[in-house]
Amino acid sequence: TTVVSVVITDANDNAPKFTRDVYEPSIFESTEVNAQVVKVTARDSDSGVNAKITYSITSGNEDQKFSIDIESGQISLAGSLDRETKAGYSLVVMAVDHGTVTLNSTCRVKVTVLDNNDQAPKFTTHFITESISENARPGTVVAIVTAVDGDLGNNAQVSYAITAGDVDTAFNIDSATGKIYVANNLDYEHRSQYRLTVTASDFGSPRLSSSIACTINIRDDNDNSPYFPPGSITWQIEESSQIGSNVGTISANDADSG
């Protein structure tokens, strides 16, 4: 009787196969460079060098924001992110075995960049100048300020407030709409101009804000009667004075202007 031993050698007939077709990690835009993002894993049913796998990013990484460990498949952050510039990346990762004739497969890694509160509200103009009659009633809208925030969610929600210059509490502002309106009676003769500072703040953590100068000029209305100085006036004139002779001058004052 003869015993024949047959050794079957491995042929590279199995391509690497990823454990997932799609990986969907999320990362905050403030994440530091070299931080780990996600690890992709592929397995090869062959043996020896035919089962050894090397990883690479083949597309979607034109900005060089990501790197991959060729042996472990660990994807790390290679460059700083800015969600306001780019909110996501779609990478194609390839796993290649080391057979004489190499085989490969790919998976997709969809990276979502999450928002941080890194954008302060920005007003749509640098300053505002408006005018309003001194007889304007409380509730009259004087101006509307608008600020926009490039972030998302609460980080982009804006609240408005008058933070300086409203010495007489003459004005108020709708915190949601930015409408500035008369809050109390105005009086040109008391104050003809208000220089307000309006601040827009977001709801992020920490809160970010910016401010704008708003000058409101009060227009004079004819709301004051002329008045003579108090007391009586007495002049003396000779009986021989000619017709048209100057007797005296009477002056009246008016608190209005113009």
Side-chain angles (χ1 to χ4, degrees):
T1 301
T2 302
V3 177
V4 179
S5 297
V6 179
V7 178
I8 300 174
T9 59
D10 182 50
N12 190 27
D13 56 351
N14 290 283
K17 186 175 181 180
F18 283 95
T19 57
R20 299 183 194 175
D21 293 328
V22 180
Y23 294 78
E24 297 182 290
S26 298
I27 186 171
F28 279 100
E29 61 179 325
S30 61
T31 302
E32 295 184 357
V33 173
N34 296 323
Q36 295 181 345
V37 179
V38 67
K39 184 177 182 180
V40 297
T41 302
R43 295 185 174 87
D44 194 308
S45 299
D46 293 314
S47 62
V49 295
N50 294 337
K52 186 177 181 181
I53 295 172
T54 296
Y55 299 92
S56 63
I57 300 174
T58 59
S59 68
N61 196 30
E62 291 75 19
D63 297 336
Q64 300 298 309
K65 297 295 185 181
F66 304 92
S67 63
I68 190 168
D69 186 297
I70 62 172
E71 294 184 356
S72 69
Q74 177 66 59
I75 297 175
S76 301
L77 188 62
S80 58
L81 301 174
D82 182 10
R83 189 209 60 82
E84 289 72 37
T85 301
K86 194 167 185 177
Y89 296 83
S90 183
L91 311 176
V92 175
V93 176
M94 178 180 289
V96 181
D97 64 26
H98 286 221
T100 302
V101 178
T102 60
L103 299 176
N104 66 77
S105 64
T106 60
C107 72
R108 188 167 294 275
V109 179
K110 296 181 179 179
V111 183
T112 299
V113 181
L114 302 177
D115 186 50
N116 284 108
N117 191 31
D118 58 350
Q119 302 284 320
K122 292 183 179 180
F123 284 94
T124 55
T125 186
H126 297 296
F127 61 89
I128 291 177
T129 301
E130 295 289 349
S131 63
I132 190 169
S133 166
E134 64 177 326
N135 289 328
R137 295 181 178 180
T140 302
V141 175
V142 185
I144 301 176
V145 296
T146 303
V148 294
D149 194 309
D151 292 312
L152 292 176
N154 287 340
N155 296 339
Q157 187 177 346
V158 176
S159 175
Y160 301 94
I162 297 174
T163 53
D166 193 13
V167 291
D168 301 321
T169 319
F171 301 95
N172 207 340
I173 189 169
D174 188 304
S175 62
T177 65
K179 290 182 179 180
I180 301 172
Y181 58 90
V182 178
N184 287 297
N185 293 329
L186 303 174
D187 185 3
Y188 171 88
E189 289 71 36
H190 171 67
R191 189 177 299 278
S192 61
Q193 186 183 78
Y194 293 84
R195 295 182 178 180
L196 310 179
T197 299
V198 177
T199 300
S201 304
D202 62 29
F203 286 79
S205 179
R207 297 187 73 173
L208 301 179
S209 64
S210 61
S211 298
I212 189 175
C214 181
T215 300
I216 300 177
N217 295 308
I218 309 303
R219 295 194 307 269
D220 183 41
D221 283 322
N222 191 26
D223 57 351
N224 291 279
S225 299
Y227 63 92
F228 290 103
S232 60
I233 300 174
T234 302
W235 291 307
Q236 292 182 346
I237 186 171
E238 296 181 359
E239 62 178 334
S240 60
S241 297
Q242 296 282 332
I243 294 175
S245 298
N246 185 21
V247 178
T249 301
I250 299 176
S251 297
N253 298 316
D254 193 310
D256 292 316
S257 63

Coordinates of all heavy atoms in Angstrom, one line a residue, residues 168-230:
D168 N -32.2 107.7 27.1 CA -33.6 108.0 27.6 C -34.6 106.8 27.5 O -35.8 107.0 27.7 CB -34.2 109.2 26.8 CG -33.3 110.4 27.0 OD1 -32.8 110.6 28.1 OD2 -33.1 111.1 26.0
T169 N -34.0 105.6 27.2 CA -34.9 104.5 26.9 C -36.0 104.9 25.9 O -37.1 104.6 26.0 CB -35.6 103.9 28.2 OG1 -34.6 103.9 29.2 CG2 -36.0 102.5 28.0
A170 N -35.5 105.6 24.9 CA -36.4 106.1 23.9 C -36.8 105.1 22.8 O -37.8 105.2 22.2 CB -35.8 107.3 23.2
F171 N -35.9 104.0 22.7 CA -36.2 103.0 21.6 C -36.1 101.6 22.2 O -35.5 101.4 23.3 CB -35.1 103.2 20.5 CG -35.2 104.6 19.9 CD1 -34.3 105.6 20.3 CD2 -36.0 104.8 18.8 CE1 -34.3 106.8 19.7 CE2 -36.1 106.1 18.3 CZ -35.2 107.1 18.7
N172 N -36.6 100.7 21.4 CA -36.5 99.3 21.8 C -36.3 98.5 20.5 O -36.5 99.1 19.4 CB -37.8 98.8 22.5 CG -37.5 97.6 23.4 OD1 -36.5 96.9 23.3 ND2 -38.4 97.4 24.4
I173 N -36.0 97.3 20.6 CA -35.7 96.4 19.4 C -36.4 95.1 19.6 O -36.3 94.5 20.7 CB -34.2 96.3 19.1 CG1 -34.0 95.7 17.7 CG2 -33.5 95.6 20.2 CD1 -32.5 95.7 17.3
D174 N -37.0 94.6 18.5 CA -37.5 93.2 18.5 C -36.4 92.3 18.4 O -35.6 92.3 17.4 CB -38.5 93.1 17.4 CG -39.3 91.7 17.4 OD1 -38.6 90.7 17.5 OD2 -40.5 91.8 17.4
S175 N -36.2 91.5 19.4 CA -35.0 90.6 19.5 C -35.0 89.6 18.4 O -33.9 89.1 18.0 CB -34.9 89.9 20.8 OG -36.1 89.0 21.0
A176 N -36.1 89.2 17.8 CA -36.2 88.2 16.7 C -36.1 88.8 15.4 O -35.4 88.2 14.5 CB -37.4 87.4 16.9
T177 N -36.7 90.0 15.1 CA -36.8 90.5 13.8 C -35.8 91.7 13.5 O -35.5 92.0 12.4 CB -38.2 91.1 13.5 OG1 -38.4 92.2 14.4 CG2 -39.2 90.0 13.7
G178 N -35.2 92.3 14.6 CA -34.3 93.4 14.4 C -35.0 94.7 14.1 O -34.3 95.7 13.8
K179 N -36.3 94.8 14.3 CA -37.0 96.1 14.1 C -36.8 97.0 15.3 O -37.0 96.6 16.4 CB -38.5 95.8 14.0 CG -38.9 95.1 12.7 CD -40.4 95.0 12.5 CE -40.8 94.3 11.2 NZ -42.3 94.1 11.1
I180 N -36.2 98.2 15.0 CA -36.1 99.2 16.0 C -37.3 100.1 16.0 O -37.6 100.6 15.0 CB -34.8 100.0 15.8 CG1 -33.5 99.1 15.8 CG2 -34.6 101.1 16.8 CD1 -32.3 99.7 15.3
Y181 N -37.9 100.3 17.2 CA -39.1 101.1 17.2 C -39.1 102.1 18.4 O -38.3 101.9 19.4 CB -40.3 100.2 17.3 CG -40.4 99.3 18.4 CD1 -41.0 99.7 19.6 CD2 -39.9 98.0 18.3 CE1 -41.0 98.8 20.7 CE2 -39.9 97.1 19.4 CZ -40.5 97.5 20.6 OH -40.6 96.6 21.7
V182 N -39.9 103.1 18.3 CA -40.0 104.1 19.4 C -40.6 103.5 20.6 O -41.7 102.8 20.5 CB -40.9 105.3 18.9 CG1 -41.0 106.3 20.0 CG2 -40.2 106.0 17.7
A183 N -40.0 103.7 21.8 CA -40.5 103.1 23.0 C -41.2 104.1 23.9 O -42.1 103.8 24.7 CB -39.4 102.4 23.8
N184 N -40.7 105.4 23.8 CA -41.2 106.5 24.6 C -41.3 107.7 23.8 O -40.7 107.8 22.7 CB -40.4 106.7 25.9 CG -40.5 105.6 26.9 OD1 -41.6 105.4 27.4 ND2 -39.5 104.8 27.2
N185 N -42.0 108.8 24.4 CA -42.1 110.0 23.6 C -40.8 110.7 23.4 O -39.9 110.6 24.2 CB -43.0 111.0 24.4 CG -44.5 110.5 24.5 OD1 -45.0 109.8 23.6 ND2 -45.1 110.8 25.6
L186 N -40.7 111.2 22.2 CA -39.4 111.9 21.8 C -39.6 113.4 21.9 O -40.7 113.9 21.9 CB -39.1 111.5 20.4 CG -38.9 110.1 20.0 CD1 -38.7 109.9 18.5 CD2 -37.7 109.5 20.8
D187 N -38.5 114.1 22.1 CA -38.5 115.6 22.1 C -37.3 116.1 21.5 O -36.2 116.0 22.1 CB -38.7 116.0 23.6 CG -38.9 117.5 23.7 OD1 -38.9 118.2 22.7 OD2 -38.9 118.0 24.9
Y188 N -37.4 116.7 20.4 CA -36.2 117.3 19.7 C -35.5 118.3 20.5 O -34.3 118.4 20.5 CB -36.7 117.9 18.4 CG -35.6 118.7 17.7 CD1 -34.8 118.1 16.8 CD2 -35.5 120.1 17.9 CE1 -33.8 118.8 16.1 CE2 -34.5 120.8 17.3 CZ -33.6 120.2 16.4 OH -32.7 120.9 15.7
E189 N -36.3 119.1 21.3 CA -35.7 120.2 22.1 C -34.9 119.6 23.3 O -34.0 120.2 23.8 CB -36.8 121.1 22.6 CG -37.4 122.0 21.6 CD -38.3 121.3 20.6 OE1 -39.0 120.3 21.0 OE2 -38.3 121.6 19.4
H190 N -35.2 118.4 23.7 CA -34.5 117.7 24.7 C -33.2 117.0 24.2 O -32.1 117.1 24.7 CB -35.4 116.7 25.5 CG -34.6 115.8 26.4 ND1 -34.0 116.3 27.6 CD2 -34.4 114.5 26.4 CE1 -33.5 115.3 28.2 NE2 -33.7 114.2 27.5
R191 N -33.4 116.2 23.1 CA -32.3 115.5 22.5 C -32.6 115.3 21.0 O -33.7 114.8 20.6 CB -32.1 114.1 23.1 CG -30.8 113.4 22.7 CD -30.7 112.1 23.4 NE -30.5 112.3 24.9 CZ -29.4 112.7 25.5 NH1 -28.3 112.8 24.8 NH2 -29.4 112.8 26.8
S192 N -31.7 115.8 20.1 CA -31.9 115.8 18.7 C -31.3 114.6 18.0 O -31.5 114.4 16.8 CB -31.4 117.1 18.1 OG -30.0 117.2 18.3
Q193 N -30.5 113.8 18.7 CA -29.8 112.7 18.1 C -29.5 111.6 19.1 O -29.1 111.8 20.2 CB -28.5 113.1 17.4 CG -27.8 112.0 16.6 CD -26.5 112.5 16.0 OE1 -25.5 112.6 16.7 NE2 -26.5 112.9 14.7
Y194 N -29.7 110.3 18.6 CA -29.3 109.1 19.4 C -28.3 108.3 18.6 O -28.5 108.1 17.4 CB -30.5 108.3 19.8 CG -31.5 109.0 20.7 CD1 -32.5 109.9 20.2 CD2 -31.5 108.7 22.1 CE1 -33.4 110.5 21.1 CE2 -32.4 109.4 22.9 CZ -33.3 110.2 22.4 OH -34.2 110.9 23.3
R195 N -27.3 107.9 19.3 CA -26.3 107.0 18.7 C -26.3 105.7 19.4 O -25.7 105.5 20.4 CB -24.9 107.6 18.7 CG -24.8 108.9 17.9 CD -23.4 109.5 18.0 NE -23.3 110.7 17.1 CZ -22.2 111.4 17.0 NH1 -21.0 111.0 17.6 NH2 -22.2 112.5 16.2
L196 N -27.1 104.8 18.8 CA -27.3 103.5 19.4 C -26.2 102.5 18.9 O -25.7 102.5 17.8 CB -28.7 102.9 19.0 CG -29.9 103.8 19.3 CD1 -31.1 103.1 18.8 CD2 -30.0 104.3 20.7
T197 N -25.9 101.5 19.8 CA -25.2 100.3 19.4 C -26.1 99.1 19.5 O -26.7 98.8 20.5 CB -24.0 100.1 20.4 OG1 -23.1 101.2 20.3 CG2 -23.2 98.9 20.0
V198 N -26.2 98.5 18.3 CA -27.1 97.3 18.2 C -26.2 96.0 18.1 O -25.3 96.0 17.3 CB -28.1 97.4 17.0 CG1 -28.9 96.1 16.9 CG2 -29.0 98.6 17.2
T199 N -26.5 95.0 18.9 CA -25.6 93.8 18.9 C -26.5 92.6 18.5 O -27.6 92.5 19.0 CB -25.0 93.6 20.3 OG1 -24.2 94.7 20.7 CG2 -24.2 92.3 20.4
A200 N -25.9 91.8 17.6 CA -26.5 90.5 17.2 C -25.7 89.4 17.8 O -24.5 89.3 17.7 CB -26.5 90.4 15.7
S201 N -26.4 88.5 18.5 CA -25.7 87.4 19.2 C -26.4 86.1 18.7 O -27.6 86.0 18.6 CB -25.8 87.5 20.7 OG -25.3 88.7 21.2
D202 N -25.5 85.0 18.6 CA -26.1 83.7 18.2 C -26.4 82.9 19.5 O -26.1 83.4 20.6 CB -25.2 83.0 17.2 CG -23.8 82.7 17.8 OD1 -23.7 82.5 19.0 OD2 -22.8 82.6 17.0
F203 N -26.9 81.7 19.3 CA -27.2 80.9 20.5 C -26.3 79.7 20.6 O -26.6 78.7 21.3 CB -28.7 80.4 20.3 CG -29.7 81.5 20.5 CD1 -30.0 82.4 19.6 CD2 -30.4 81.5 21.8 CE1 -30.9 83.4 19.8 CE2 -31.3 82.5 22.0 CZ -31.6 83.5 21.0
G204 N -25.1 79.8 20.0 CA -24.1 78.7 20.2 C -23.5 78.8 21.6 O -23.8 79.6 22.4
S205 N -22.5 77.9 21.7 CA -21.8 77.8 23.0 C -20.3 77.7 22.7 O -19.9 76.6 22.1 CB -22.2 76.6 23.8 OG -21.5 76.5 25.0
P206 N -19.5 78.7 22.9 CA -19.9 80.0 23.5 C -20.7 80.9 22.5 O -20.5 80.7 21.3 CB -18.6 80.6 24.0 CG -17.6 80.1 23.0 CD -18.1 78.7 22.7
R207 N -21.5 81.8 23.0 CA -22.2 82.7 22.1 C -21.2 83.7 21.5 O -20.3 84.2 22.1 CB -23.3 83.5 22.9 CG -24.3 82.6 23.5 CD -25.5 83.4 24.1 NE -26.3 84.0 23.0 CZ -27.5 84.6 23.3 NH1 -27.9 84.8 24.5 NH2 -28.2 85.1 22.3
L208 N -21.4 83.9 20.2 CA -20.6 84.9 19.4 C -21.5 86.0 19.0 O -22.7 85.9 18.8 CB -20.0 84.2 18.2 CG -19.1 83.0 18.4 CD1 -18.6 82.5 17.1 CD2 -17.9 83.4 19.3
S209 N -20.9 87.2 18.9 CA -21.7 88.4 18.6 C -20.9 89.4 17.8 O -19.7 89.3 17.7 CB -22.2 89.1 19.9 OG -21.1 89.5 20.6
S210 N -21.7 90.4 17.2 CA -21.1 91.5 16.5 C -22.0 92.7 16.7 O -23.2 92.5 17.0 CB -20.8 91.2 15.0 OG -22.0 90.9 14.4
S211 N -21.5 93.9 16.5 CA -22.3 95.1 16.7 C -22.3 96.0 15.5 O -21.4 96.0 14.7 CB -21.8 95.8 18.0 OG -21.9 95.0 19.1
I212 N -23.3 96.9 15.5 CA -23.4 97.9 14.4 C -23.8 99.3 15.1 O -24.5 99.3 16.1 CB -24.4 97.5 13.4 CG1 -24.3 98.4 12.2 CG2 -25.8 97.4 13.9 CD1 -25.2 98.0 11.0
A213 N -23.3 100.4 14.5 CA -23.7 101.7 15.0 C -25.0 102.1 14.2 O -25.1 102.0 13.0 CB -22.6 102.7 14.7
C214 N -25.9 102.7 15.0 CA -27.2 103.1 14.4 C -27.5 104.5 14.9 O -27.7 104.7 16.1 CB -28.3 102.2 14.8 SG -29.9 102.6 14.1
T215 N -27.4 105.5 14.0 CA -27.6 106.9 14.4 C -29.1 107.3 14.0 O -29.5 107.1 12.9 CB -26.6 107.8 13.7 OG1 -25.3 107.5 14.0 CG2 -26.9 109.3 14.0
I216 N -29.8 107.8 15.0 CA -31.2 108.2 14.7 C -31.3 109.7 15.0 O -31.1 110.1 16.1 CB -32.2 107.4 15.6 CG1 -32.1 105.9 15.3 CG2 -33.6 107.9 15.4 CD1 -33.0 105.1 16.2
N217 N -31.6 110.4 14.0 CA -31.8 111.9 14.1 C -33.2 112.2 14.3 O -34.1 111.7 13.6 CB -31.3 112.6 12.8 CG -29.8 112.4 12.6 OD1 -29.0 112.7 13.5 ND2 -29.4 112.0 11.4
I218 N -33.5 113.1 15.3 CA -34.9 113.5 15.6 C -35.2 114.7 14.8 O -34.5 115.7 14.9 CB -35.1 113.7 17.1 CG1 -34.5 112.5 17.9 CG2 -36.5 113.9 17.4 CD1 -35.2 111.2 17.6
R219 N -36.3 114.7 14.0 CA -36.7 115.8 13.3 C -37.6 116.8 14.1 O -38.4 116.3 14.8 CB -37.5 115.4 12.0 CG -36.6 114.7 11.0 CD -37.4 114.6 9.7 NE -38.7 114.1 9.8 CZ -39.0 112.8 9.7 NH1 -38.1 111.9 9.5 NH2 -40.3 112.4 9.8
D220 N -37.3 118.1 14.0 CA -38.1 119.0 14.7 C -39.5 119.2 14.1 O -39.6 119.4 12.9 CB -37.4 120.4 14.8 CG -38.1 121.4 15.6 OD1 -38.6 121.0 16.7 OD2 -38.1 122.6 15.2
D221 N -40.5 119.2 14.9 CA -41.9 119.6 14.5 C -42.2 120.9 15.2 O -41.7 121.3 16.3 CB -42.9 118.5 14.9 CG -42.8 117.3 14.0 OD1 -42.6 117.6 12.8 OD2 -42.9 116.2 14.4
N222 N -43.1 121.7 14.6 CA -43.5 123.0 15.2 C -44.5 122.7 16.3 O -45.7 122.9 16.2 CB -44.2 123.8 14.1 CG -44.3 125.3 14.5 OD1 -43.6 125.7 15.4 ND2 -45.3 126.0 13.9
D223 N -44.0 122.3 17.5 CA -44.8 122.0 18.6 C -44.6 122.9 19.8 O -45.0 122.7 20.9 CB -44.5 120.6 19.1 CG -43.0 120.3 19.4 OD1 -42.2 121.2 19.2 OD2 -42.7 119.2 20.0
N224 N -44.0 124.1 19.5 CA -43.8 125.1 20.6 C -44.3 126.5 20.1 O -43.9 126.9 19.0 CB -42.3 125.2 21.0 CG -41.8 124.0 21.7 OD1 -42.1 123.8 22.9 ND2 -41.2 123.1 21.0
S225 N -45.1 127.1 20.9 CA -45.6 128.5 20.5 C -44.5 129.5 20.9 O -43.7 129.3 21.8 CB -46.8 128.8 21.3 OG -47.9 127.9 20.9
P226 N -44.4 130.6 20.1 CA -43.5 131.7 20.5 C -43.9 132.2 21.9 O -45.1 132.2 22.3 CB -43.7 132.7 19.4 CG -44.3 132.0 18.3 CD -45.1 130.9 18.9
Y227 N -43.0 132.7 22.6 CA -43.3 133.3 24.0 C -42.4 134.5 24.2 O -41.3 134.7 23.7 CB -43.0 132.2 25.1 CG -41.6 131.8 25.2 CD1 -40.7 132.4 26.1 CD2 -41.1 130.7 24.4 CE1 -39.4 132.1 26.2 CE2 -39.8 130.3 24.5 CZ -39.0 131.0 25.4 OH -37.6 130.6 25.6
F228 N -43.1 135.5 24.9 CA -42.4 136.7 25.3 C -41.7 136.5 26.7 O -42.2 135.7 27.5 CB -43.4 137.9 25.4 CG -43.9 138.3 24.0 CD1 -45.2 138.0 23.6 CD2 -43.1 139.1 23.2 CE1 -45.6 138.4 22.4 CE2 -43.6 139.5 22.0 CZ -44.9 139.1 21.6
P229 N -40.7 137.3 26.9 CA -40.1 137.2 28.2 C -41.1 137.6 29.3 O -42.0 138.4 29.0 CB -38.9 138.2 28.2 CG -38.6 138.4 26.7 CD -39.9 138.2 26.0
P230 N -41.0 137.0 30.5 CA -42.0 137.4 31.5 C -41.9 138.8 31.9 O -40.9 139.5 31.8 CB -41.6 136.4 32.6 CG -40.1 136.1 32.4 CD -40.0 136.1 30.9

